[in-house]
Amino acid sequence: MSALRTLAFLALVAVSSSQTSDCSYVGLLTHLNLATTNDLLATMRPVKVWTTPTLVQLDMFLYGILEVDEKSQTVTSHIWIRMWWTNEFLTWNSTDFCGINMLTVPRSRLWIPDIQINEDTSDAGSIHKSAVVKLYPNGLMLANTRERLTSTCRMDLLLFPFDTQECTITFSSMTSEEHTVQLEQLNSGTVLTKISDHLMVTKGEWEFQNMTIILLNVTIESKSKLRYKVSLSRKPMLYVINLIIPLLFFLVLDLVSFSISEARGEKLSFKVTILLSISVMLLILQDILPSTEANMPMISQYCLFIFTFVGLSVLEAMLVGYLYDLDGCCCKTAQSPADAQEDIQLEVDNQKEPAGAEGILDNNSLPLDGPVDGDLLKLILQEVKAARQEVEEHKDQRKTGCYRRAALMLAQWLSSAFIQLEIHMSLEHPASLERLAIYSVQKEGEHQGHQPCQVELQRVGNPTPHLWGWSICSI
């Protein structure tokens, strides 16, 4: 009886050992008919019933934004694609092969969905496909692809550089129709956005916003498409510092240049320099923006406005300078010989010291020891009044233009204010009265266009010219 039990046990062990005789990958490949080359597995769609469509689940992860070219309307990015599908002929029970639950098979021996990117403009050398494909017991297969993708993107640059672009990446089968291959996402757009944002290595001047997924069934092409819409926002600080603020400064400088005197000849050259600087900015902007008339960027309109404004200001400076010179020529041609002789005589008389001033500067009439402020002030005012009356008599005979007449009126007003200031200061400092007398008379001559006077004022007992009186009178 015991012998029979022993024989039964040995038979059971032999049967069980025969069922699990091979625990290697080679045995599994032989079981799946993958040990030898099989062209049917590599070329035919792996379904048992041909009317059953193959569901391909695809996820795309964004690893980096390498370049955005607004001129050619392309975006270069680094993407990672994970593609899942089921092969109905490659299934096994993992318990029959010592718990093997994953197998790697060369890509060339299996059927791989021919999925392409419609917006792809990159070369074949930028696509790196995994050499093997992962195979699971239920027939599920996984293929990974890494690609340096250069895709076309229709950009809206109206708000450049404060714009946000939405670029699409569309996946579809190259040869299979909708009833044979159907595309679908495995994870939602929110999950892919979080994973891509976590894995992002480089962004450049762009900020990754989100990623949305759109399923398309194109009836014309009869193909299933999976579209990823990627939103990117530009970081505008670099363009604000390099373009917008300098152009604004140029505009402010052009407005301030209106205060430059026309007589010096520096206003026109200053405005031309600003115009050339803006031209350089426009050349830089031309290398960035595309040549399109639809939705012209607002920064282009901004630059065009500033360039036009500065150009008009240059023309205004040229016109004013021309009229100013023409006014002087008309005055010289319209003046008669008698008037010219009279102007020369008036200039000579103004450059001479008046008799009243000599009396003031005389040692006997201007004692330095005794304060006679009231009498000196009366004499000064009389001399100023006489000089003004003499100038007014010849004022109507001189023919000056409107621009120069306005300049002379402004100079006369400033001189009058300065004289009142000097009179106020003389009450506190009687020694400055001797400067005021000659300075007032000479300044009245300057109001009418004479050359600046150069009078050497001497104090009694001091042979050195008074430097303060010299500098003021020579301005």
Side-chain angles (χ1 to χ4, degrees), residues 83-219:
M83 190 163 51
W84 303 79
W85 74 96
T86 301
N87 191 323
E88 297 180 0
F89 297 104
L90 302 179
T91 59
W92 73 92
N93 189 0
S94 60
T95 59
D96 295 340
F97 295 91
C98 302
I100 298 176
N101 56 5
M102 193 273 292
L103 182 66
T104 56
V105 183
R107 179 186 286 264
S108 59
R109 295 186 178 183
L110 298 174
W111 177 86
I112 308 296
D114 55 343
I115 304 300
Q116 67 172 357
I117 299 176
N118 296 346
E119 296 86 0
D120 189 7
T121 60
S122 55
D123 53 359
S126 61
I127 301 175
H128 302 279
K129 298 180 179 180
S130 59
V132 295
V133 178
K134 292 183 179 180
L135 178 61
Y136 296 92
N138 58 352
L140 187 65
M141 306 187 71
L142 171 63
N144 294 320
T145 303
R146 182 173 60 88
E147 181 178 359
R148 187 181 187 271
L149 175 65
T150 301
S151 59
T152 58
C153 179
R154 189 173 182 178
M155 301 181 184
D156 185 9
L157 300 175
L158 179 63
L159 300 178
F160 177 88
F162 305 96
D163 54 333
T164 299
Q165 304 298 335
E166 291 186 352
C167 300
T168 59
I169 300 176
T170 306
F171 294 89
S172 65
S173 176
M174 186 178 297
T175 58
S176 302
E177 296 181 353
E178 182 183 0
H179 65 275
T180 57
V181 175
Q182 294 181 355
L183 294 179
E184 187 178 304
Q185 81 276 8
L186 181 62
N187 297 300
S188 63
T190 304
V191 175
L192 296 179
T193 300
K194 292 181 180 179
I195 297 176
S196 298
D197 195 17
H198 179 72
L199 299 176
M200 189 78 64
V201 178
T202 176
K203 301 178 183 179
E205 61 174 304
W206 295 87
E207 189 70 26
F208 175 66
Q209 296 293 326
N210 56 20
M211 183 187 303
T212 57
I213 302 174
I214 303 174
L215 291 176
L216 298 175
N217 292 323
V218 182
T219 57

Side-chain angles (χ1 to χ4, degrees), residues 417-470:
F418 188 80
I419 290 174
Q420 296 295 331
L421 180 62
E422 279 290 334
I423 292 176
H424 178 73
M425 293 177 61
S426 65
L427 297 178
E428 299 180 359
H429 304 281
S432 63
L433 292 176
E434 56 183 348
R435 297 192 301 267
L436 180 60
I438 297 179
Y439 176 77
S440 301
V441 175
Q442 298 298 333
K443 269 301 184 181
E444 291 297 331
E446 289 182 28
H447 292 171
Q448 304 304 320
H450 298 299
Q451 296 295 328
C453 60
Q454 295 181 356
V455 180
E456 296 184 0
L457 302 179
Q458 295 183 356
R459 295 288 301 272
V460 177
N462 187 4
T464 304
H466 199 283
L467 298 180
W468 185 87
W470 178 274

Side-chain angles (χ1 to χ4, degrees), residues 11 28 56 59 68 138 151 156-157 161 179 200 202 240 256 267 288 290 346 387-388 403-404 425 455:
L28 181 57
V56 179
D59 283 344
V68 177
N138 58 352
S151 59
D156 185 9
L157 300 175
H179 65 275
M200 189 78 64
T202 176
V240 170
V256 174
K267 183 176 182 179
I288 300 175
L346 178 62
R388 286 185 177 179
Y403 295 102
R404 191 167 297 178
M425 293 177 61
V455 180

